[in-house]
Amino acid sequence: MELSVFNDASKDKSMTIIEKWKVKLEDSGILVVIGGHDSPSPRGVGYSKNQAIAQSSGSYLCFLDSDDAMMPQRVRLQHEAAVRHPTSIIGCQVRREPPNSTERYTRWINQLASDQLLTQVFTSHGPTVVMPTWFCSREWFSHVGPFDEGGQGVPEDLLFFYSHLRKGGGVVRVDQSLLIYRYHPKAATHSVLETTIWTHRVRFLEERALPHWAAFTIWNAGRQGRRLYRSLMAESRRKVVAFCDVDENKIKKGFYSYEDSEERPKPRVPILHFRAARPPFVICVKLDLTGGAFEDNLRSLHLQEGRDFLHFS
């Protein structure tokens, strides 16, 4: 075991605390490598992670953010999984602190089925195993990485996750809670704009999923569905044969007219009841928000996730 710590210009007592722990850990046979800089401002999460990896020497990498805490068995259990899945990112279930801070997100993290770890990679939740739980071989990290070093406002974990999937990487979760995942307003993740993440998600959807479909339906004729339609490249937009919904008022309108289009005539996309629409669907309805009504409607169609529909919201 080796602990690699990188201090990204912190102005608190972090270094004093780490130096005390270095003595204790090395007395227990755990090598501690400490790096950092004291520039006036931090270089960012991506840079710091890359530096922590570069200064370390282990064959496997176990990531831990400074505001989280991990269980004693985490390294052992994730290492066992990584040996079995050498080209996968290994995650785990988490315990959120405070417990009720992000209930829907925490349920999603902990309850995705193994196949959904690959089919739900387009949602607004981001990577299907959250970055503070990642564990992988150094060899695989070097094949995929490094992290983007753009600094504040860059979703370096999402960009790395997409690169990992492009290279054929797998996603595996150890189904035990091995991390205390702390939520607080100053977390670095809050510095990334929703519009930035949206743009990356739409492009990844167009790159990875939409080429396999000759035509598709957007499930949600409301704001989110229309936003997705407008965000698509012209080639992808032409594949949208309909919107579908359950809202009778939207369905009564009959169609959505894309007024900002430079095409003539302007595209008019039919709005159908979901039972009258044809798969495949890109679903722009947030899960776990309708008391189970949406999920019941989707199940009633007996579709296969990944082949017949993908979640985007």
Side-chain angles (χ1 to χ4, degrees):
M1 287 272 283
E2 171 190 52
L3 177 65
S4 176
V5 182
F6 189 82
N7 182 6
D8 189 23
S10 67
K11 301 291 186 263
D12 55 18
K13 297 189 176 99
S14 293
M15 284 305 290
T16 308
I17 296 166
I18 290 161
E19 292 290 356
K20 284 181 184 171
W21 273 99
K22 180 178 167 80
V23 176
K24 291 182 189 177
L25 290 166
E26 293 198 331
D27 283 349
S28 304
I30 296 171
L31 180 64
V32 178
V33 184
I34 301 171
H37 66 98
D38 54 6
S39 305
S41 57
R43 294 279 300 272
V45 178
Y47 172 80
S48 302
K49 287 193 171 84
N50 288 336
Q51 292 299 310
I53 291 161
Q55 71 188 19
S56 70
S57 57
S59 305
Y60 289 87
L61 306 172
C62 177
F63 294 92
L64 182 69
D65 287 356
S66 59
D67 44 6
D68 300 323
M70 67 187 200
M71 300 298 106
Q73 69 273 35
R74 180 186 170 195
V75 171
R76 176 174 57 83
L77 293 175
Q78 288 193 303
H79 175 253
E80 288 170 1
V83 169
R84 292 195 303 273
H85 304 279
T87 60
S88 289
I89 291 176
I90 314 298
C92 64
Q93 293 175 325
V94 303
R95 191 175 94 220
R96 197 63 148 152
E97 291 287 344
N100 59 353
S101 52
T102 57
E103 291 178 271
R104 283 180 58 248
Y105 180 45
T106 305
R107 270 198 301 275
W108 183 82
I109 293 168
N110 288 336
Q111 295 178 9
L112 284 175
S114 59
D115 56 333
Q116 290 176 318
L117 296 174
L118 288 175
T119 58
Q120 293 207 10
V121 296
F122 305 104
T123 78
S124 59
H125 289 320
T128 48
V129 287
V130 291
M131 201 280 143
T133 73
W134 287 5
F135 190 109
C136 66
S137 73
R138 176 184 294 273
E139 185 179 355
W140 183 251
F141 176 86
S142 301
H143 178 63
V144 174
F147 287 108
D148 187 293
E149 296 188 359
Q152 191 171 24
V154 174
E156 80 294 325
D157 56 343
L158 185 67
L159 297 180
F160 185 94
F161 190 66
Y162 285 170
S163 296
H164 163 76
L165 295 171
R166 286 186 187 105
K167 298 199 172 184
V171 186
V172 173
R173 188 185 67 221
V174 174
D175 282 339
Q176 289 191 41
S177 184
L178 303 177
L179 186 88
I180 297 171
Y181 186 28
R182 292 205 178 100
Y183 176 86
H184 58 91
K186 293 185 179 177
T189 186
H190 299 311
S191 71
V192 184
L193 295 174
E194 187 275 341
T195 49
T196 301
I197 293 173
W198 175 275
T199 301
H200 287 302
R201 289 170 53 220
V202 172
R203 296 297 160 252
F204 193 63
L205 178 77
E206 292 188 300
E207 173 195 329
R208 300 286 294 178
L210 300 188
H212 300 293
W213 293 342
F216 65 97
T217 299
I218 295 176
W219 191 318
N220 186 352
R223 190 174 59 177
Q224 282 291 88
R226 296 195 305 267
R227 182 187 181 194
L228 173 61
Y229 177 83
R230 292 192 302 269
S231 301
L232 294 171
M233 309 280 270
E235 182 184 356
S236 302
R237 233 179 0 249
R238 284 192 281 272
K239 291 183 175 184
V240 179
V241 291
F243 290 91
C244 74
D245 214 293
V246 293
D247 185 331
E248 291 298 336
N249 291 325
K250 293 186 183 113
I251 296 164
K252 278 177 190 168
K253 288 180 182 173
F255 61 87
Y256 165 69
S257 179
Y258 180 33
E259 295 300 332
D260 294 338
S261 175
E262 294 177 0
E263 292 180 47
R264 294 293 180 272
K266 291 180 179 178
R268 285 159 59 102
V269 185
I271 301 174
L272 308 173
H273 189 275
F274 78 91
R275 292 203 183 281
R278 295 180 60 184
F281 298 100
V282 174
I283 296 175
C284 293
V285 179
K286 288 198 178 294
L287 296 168
D288 203 10
L289 271 183
T290 59
F294 165 73
E295 288 80 0
D296 287 345
N297 288 337
L298 182 58
R299 273 193 296 272
S300 73
L301 298 179
H302 305 292
L303 302 174
Q304 181 181 324
E305 188 167 355
R307 184 193 69 190
D308 301 321
F309 70 90
L310 289 167
H311 288 286
F312 188 75
S313 277

